[in-house]
Each structure stands twice: as C-alpha cells, then as structure tokens.
Amino acid sequence: MAKHRVTLIPGDGIGPEVIGAARRILDAAGVPIEWEVCEAGASVFRKGIESGVPPETIDSIRRTRVVLKGPLETPVGYGEKSANVTLRKLFETYANIRPVREYPNVKTPYSGRGIDLVVVRENVEDLYAGIEHMQTPGVAQALKLISRKGCEKVVRLAFELARAEGRRRVHCATKSNILKLTEGMMKRVFEEVAQEYPDIEAQHIIVDNCAHQLVKRPEQFEVIVTTNMNGDILSDLTSALIGGLGFAPSANIGSEVAIFEAVHGSAPKYAGKNVANPTAVIGSAILMLRYLGEFEAAELIENALLVTLEEGKILTGDVVGYDRGASTTEYAEAIIANLGRKPQTVQVRQYKPLQIPRLDKAIAWVRPHSRRLVGVDIFIEADRTPQELGPVLERLSEGTPFWLKMISNRGTKVYPPTGAMPDYVDHYRCRFLVREGVGELQDVEVLELLRRVGEHYRWVHVEKLMELDGVPGFTKAQGED
Ligand code: NAP
C-alpha cells in the first residue's frame, strides 16, 4: 500500500526526461508513493486554458497536497500568466526554499570553499503580485505589495529551517535603505522575529552588498531570507556558484500544500535529447521526501547521488561537455546502482523535521491605535512644465481643506523648483496636504479636490496619505523637505 500520494507534473521541454529520472530513482529506493500524473504548462495553454493549469490538476493537488513538478514554459507576449506563478499563488506556497551545496567533481571557481547555503525567498507577494497599469500611454507602473503577515511567515520559516538543518546564522537581504516601507517591512519583521530565536545569529544585509558578498565570500552565508524579486535574482546567482541550474533544487512551501521543482526552466534546446542534468529535480525530490517525513529514503538517495558525483565516471554534459557527457538515463541508472553506498569525501547533513509555522486562518487585519488622513497624492497625465502646473493646482485647491505641498516627476520634487534638472515625462504626482487647523476629513472633500483637478488635467491615480499611530504611512519625494 502506498503511504503517500503525490501529484506528478512532468512539465515542458526537458521536464518529462528529468522528472522521469527522479521518479525511477524514488521507485527504485522503494519509497511508497502513489503518483497522480497531471498536466500543466504549454500543452494546457494550447488548449486555450489561460491559467495553464486545468481543473483536474487543481483537484489532484487539493487531494494530495504534495506536488513534484517539471518546468513549465511561460508563453512570451500572449498575455497569459505564468502557470508556475498560478500554482504558487493558488495554493499560497509562501516560501521558496532554494538550497545549494558544493558537489564533488563539479568544478567551479569556488570548488573547495565548502559552499552550503539556502536562499529562502518570499514567493507570492512583492512585484509578483503582478499588478501593473499603464498610467499614461508612456509610463507603466507595477505595484510592489508587501504584507506584514507575508514577511512574518517567510521569516519564521527561515529560522525554523535553520534549526531543522542545524544552521547557526540567518541573513535577511533587503533594499530597505531605498524602499523604507516595503523592503523596510521585511527588515523590521526580521528583527522582531529574530528575538524568538536567540540560538541563531540574525544579521541584516543590504541586498546589493549581499550579491557582492555572495560572489566574494559565499561560504559566510548559511540561510538568506529575502523578498520575492531579490530572492529570484540571488538564487539564480547562488545556483551558478555550485555548477549551474542543473544542480539547483527548490521547495515551494505553504501551510497546506508544498510544490517541489528544479529552479531551472524547460531548457528547450536540450528537450528530447536525453542530455539534461536531472540533479536539480532529484534534489527537489529529496526535499520532498524530508517534507513527507521519509528521512531514511532521502538520505539513501542523497548518498547515492553524492557517490555518483564523487566517482566522477558518469557525469552529465553540463559538467564534462555535451560531447562526452552521460545521458540523463545513464546518470539516473548510475544513481540507482549506487543506492545503499555512502560517499567517502562528503557528508549528508543531519536533518530534523521542519516545523512549518502554524498560521491563523483569520484575515490579517493590522489595527493601529490611530489613523489620520493628512493629505492626498493625485497622479495626473499632463504635457505641461511644473512651473505651468503649480500655480494652476494652487489656485484650484483654494477654498478646499488642502494646499499643494509639491509636485514630483518620477519621484523627484520639481515644484516648487529645487534646481533639479529631470528629464520630464507626462506623469506627475501632485501632493496636497491638509491645511493646519482642519479637523477630521471626509472622503467627500477628497473627491471634491479630485473633481477640481479632473476639470483641468487627466487624473490617473489617487493615493490617500495616512498617518498611522502618528507615523507617516508614506515616503517623501527626492528633494522634498
Ligand atoms: P532555463 O530553461 O532554465 O535554461 C537556461 C539554461 O540553463 C539552459 O540553456 C542551460 O544552459 C541551463 N540548464 C537549465 N536546466 C538545465 C539542466 N537540467 N541541465 C543542464 N543545463 C540546464 O531558462 P530559460 O531558457 O530562460 O527558460 C525556458 C523556459 O522555461 C521559459 O518558457 C521559462 O518561462 C520557463 N521557466 C520555467 C521555470 C519553472 O517551471 N519553474 C523556471 C524558469 C523558467 P546552457 O545553455 O549554458 O547549457
């Protein structure tokens, strides 16, 4: 009787070959899994299903709660969403765990330095919320959405992962020096949650320096937790440190569902040639086994993989060149033949079960003690100079509770003049503040201001300026006092 049911998505391009290799190894290791083979990706887009994920696949995942998947192609330029992002968001797999370690006989400029680290990437928020608008015909906007709850979940998981894997240090990589509210929220939550893990050293690092340090001295890192976009880029960098995407596994973890997949894509140029390196998918399957509590099987397969690499007789083309490389199937067979053996020069880490944070199902409503409307930013499309715009906006705010504090162009204050010399585009933010002495405001007064502005210029976006617990919930423009 199978102990576990797993949804298996072979995927596109090299997917069926590398997934096939991993499945053969798991079956040979005697892991009691019943596979539900399902479709997603290119074939599904071709059938006209816009999400790339058909209802049967969603039903299977709802049943099994665990997925091993191959890469899915994202069609470029057709307006479809990525099927990968659909799956991650649909099942709220909020953390993407991407471990990399140095492998024997996989020569890189870093060989011998003992790289062994994990990037824990927030997986559903940030720019990947995918909320984009053309604000004017010439100016596009993407919303970077970061929630306190989203940060807390992923940060807590990173500390739990460090504990489960016997790691002693967690870095948090953000751009909080520039993006004080969004990236800053991740930093603040990290510093709070770190207090609960006194056994683990917690350190914040600016993400650009993190990239620099990863190239210079990667062995200093053990766990790096970061926001979605930062993590996307940093984790491709860390894959390259240990031999490339063929070696980089990942786990998408949520509180209900977990999806295991290689970091790499469908590598179309190798599709159907039986030459792709299946290590990344095998590594993902090993992560899945630990998630399922199959620690012995995970160690058995990881040892066999390490023995195969250590012996160095059967290595794939990405390591030794495609003219000499073993095929995907030969490599998988070699790992199967090595099941039960232990490597001589490297070791498998000792793992404890990962404690996935228990989540409150209630809607995360963060209530401040006080909130006060202190102004409004109105974004307009206008082919006027700030010197033309400013006096008009000042005049039309007369008799309202608002006064024009400043106008900015792509974040730089341009009115009242500051001496800045920006290259103007037709997209301005007009910041109106509530006049002194005016009491509590109603929306109707904001709408009246908007109506007046709208009589002169095309407004494209409005943002209320709130003070929360006495602290401004908005940032200043470059040059704004
Ligand atoms: P990619 O498929 O990851 O391939 C980029 C390069 O990485 C390949 O050309 C190859 O490098 C190397 N590579 C990747 N996997 C390998 C393996 N298993 N063995 C050996 N070498 C491997 O990235 P892409 O070409 O940008 O994307 C192709 C498609 O995949 C796109 O449609 C993309 O949207 C999709 N994608 C899906 C996922 C996912 O499902 N999670 C992730 C990323 C991309 P060399 O050329 O140097 O040999």
Side-chain angles (χ1 to χ4, degrees):
M1 263 287 281
K3 201 164 140 200
H4 310 286
R5 297 183 89 168
V6 173
T7 301
L8 186 78
I9 302 175
D12 301 319
I14 59 170
E17 297 157 65
V18 289
I19 284 281
R23 180 178 172 170
R24 276 197 301 285
I25 294 168
L26 263 66
D27 290 344
V31 189
I33 291 179
E34 189 180 317
W35 303 99
E36 292 192 10
V37 180
C38 289
E39 249 191 328
S43 57
V44 179
F45 283 120
R46 274 197 295 274
K47 287 182 195 159
I49 298 176
E50 284 217 351
S51 66
V53 187
E56 306 82 74
T57 304
I58 294 172
D59 287 347
S60 169
I61 299 173
R62 275 191 206 287
R63 265 195 310 275
T64 63
R65 307 284 167 122
V66 182
V67 185
L68 180 62
K69 71 173 272 291
L72 307 179
E73 264 165 32
T74 306
V76 179
Y78 295 96
E80 290 97 339
K81 293 274 181 191
S82 150
N84 295 305
V85 178
T86 302
L87 280 172
R88 285 175 204 162
K89 285 181 163 265
L90 210 55
F91 297 105
E92 190 75 36
T93 56
Y94 60 83
N96 188 210
I97 298 177
R98 296 184 164 188
V100 292
R101 62 164 294 172
E102 181 177 332
Y103 284 115
N105 279 319
V106 181
K107 295 273 176 287
T108 74
Y110 296 93
S111 291
R113 290 171 62 168
I115 294 174
D116 182 359
L117 62 90
V118 190
V119 175
V120 181
R121 162 188 173 190
E122 196 290 320
N123 212 24
V124 289
E125 300 193 339
D126 197 355
L127 292 164
Y128 293 74
I131 306 173
E132 293 192 294
H133 299 98
M134 293 305 295
Q135 294 249 299
T136 74
V139 177
Q141 171 196 271
L143 282 188
K144 182 175 169 80
L145 281 183
I146 305 268
S147 75
R148 166 166 274 278
K149 189 177 187 185
C151 294
E152 202 178 318
K153 287 190 288 190
V154 74
V155 165
R156 217 173 272 287
L157 192 78
F159 279 107
E160 289 295 340
L161 181 93
R163 273 193 182 160
E165 302 197 349
R167 299 178 189 265
R168 294 175 320 276
R169 190 179 308 137
V170 178
H171 280 86
C172 175
T174 77
K175 194 72 188 167
S176 56
N177 51 334
I178 304 295
L179 298 167
K180 297 186 189 324
L181 299 184
T182 50
E183 293 275 316
M185 169 123 44
M186 177 67 98
K187 176 173 184 278
R188 285 188 295 278
V189 169
F190 174 74
E191 286 161 355
E192 275 170 37
V193 173
Q195 309 293 320
E196 296 171 35
Y197 296 86
D199 50 319
I200 292 167
E201 190 188 319
Q203 207 173 318
H204 176 261
I205 184 166
I206 298 289
V207 65
D208 34 339
N209 184 33
C210 185
H212 166 237
Q213 292 293 333
L214 274 169
V215 173
K216 229 175 122 183
R217 214 163 55 80
E219 57 278 13
Q220 69 185 288
F221 294 100
E222 295 195 65
V223 177
I224 302 169
V225 62
T226 188
T227 49
N228 205 341
M229 181 76 140
N230 293 341
D232 193 6
I233 298 166
L234 287 185
S235 61
D236 262 35
L237 188 160
T238 53
S239 313
L241 298 176
I242 53 106
L245 288 171
F247 289 96
S250 87
N252 299 283
I253 303 284
S255 43
E256 305 284 338
V257 168
I259 303 173
F260 299 85
E261 60 177 335
V263 171
H264 65 69
S266 58
K269 72 182 189 193
Y270 298 127
K273 296 189 175 151
N274 195 21
V275 296
N277 183 352
T279 307
V281 166
I282 297 166
S284 309
I286 294 171
L287 295 175
M288 180 182 83
L289 290 178
R290 295 209 173 94
Y291 177 83
L292 292 171
E294 296 283 351
F295 287 90
E296 269 180 39
E299 192 170 328
L300 182 77
I301 296 173
E302 192 170 352
N303 273 331
L305 169 70
L306 290 171
V307 169
T308 309
L309 291 168
E310 197 175 51
E311 289 187 342
K313 289 186 289 209
I314 298 181
L315 298 172
T316 45
D318 53 338
V319 183
V320 292
Y322 285 95
D323 49 339
R324 298 196 293 130
S327 68
T328 310
T329 35
E330 282 165 344
Y331 183 72
E333 290 308 321
I335 295 173
I336 291 171
N338 285 327
L339 286 170
R341 294 180 60 195
K342 288 203 171 156
Q344 304 295 309
T345 57
V346 282
Q347 270 193 344
V348 171
R349 223 169 227 293
Q350 287 306 304
Y351 293 87
K352 286 192 274 196
L354 173 61
Q355 299 302 323
I356 297 184
R358 290 258 151 262
L359 295 180
D360 189 349
K361 291 262 186 198
I363 291 177
W365 191 346
V366 182
R367 292 177 173 84
H369 295 293
S370 72
R371 74 175 82 206
R372 195 163 72 90
L373 182 70
V374 294
V376 60
D377 276 349
I378 300 180
F379 295 74
I380 61 168
E381 176 185 345
D383 60 346
R384 294 281 180 272
T385 66
Q387 284 62 42
E388 290 170 304
L389 279 175
V392 177
L393 292 168
E394 276 162 352
R395 246 193 332 275
L396 59 84
S397 61
E398 279 169 17
T400 75
F402 298 97
W403 63 282
L404 180 72
K405 165 96 188 298
M406 64 106 206
I407 302 173
S408 70
N409 196 281
R410 286 165 303 138
T412 301
K413 178 179 165 187
V414 291
Y415 184 87
T418 60
M421 296 189 290
D423 195 2
Y424 292 113
V425 299
D426 58 4
H427 177 268
Y428 289 99
R429 170 180 50 167
C430 312
R431 173 160 287 179
F432 296 91
L433 292 190
V434 175
R435 295 177 197 278
E436 251 182 65
V438 174
E440 193 86 345
L441 280 192
Q442 304 298 319
D443 282 355
V444 68
E445 280 144 322
V446 176
L447 295 173
E448 171 57 16
L449 178 69
L450 194 59
R451 191 191 63 74
R452 290 186 182 202
V453 172
E455 277 181 357
H456 292 74
Y457 305 107
R458 188 176 276 127
W459 65 268
V460 293
H461 180 89
V462 184
E463 199 76 50
K464 283 180 177 173
L465 305 179
M466 304 300 297
E467 220 175 64
L468 302 169
D469 291 334
V471 179
F474 50 95
T475 55
K476 288 187 173 170
Q478 200 70 40
E480 184 182 353
D481 47 25

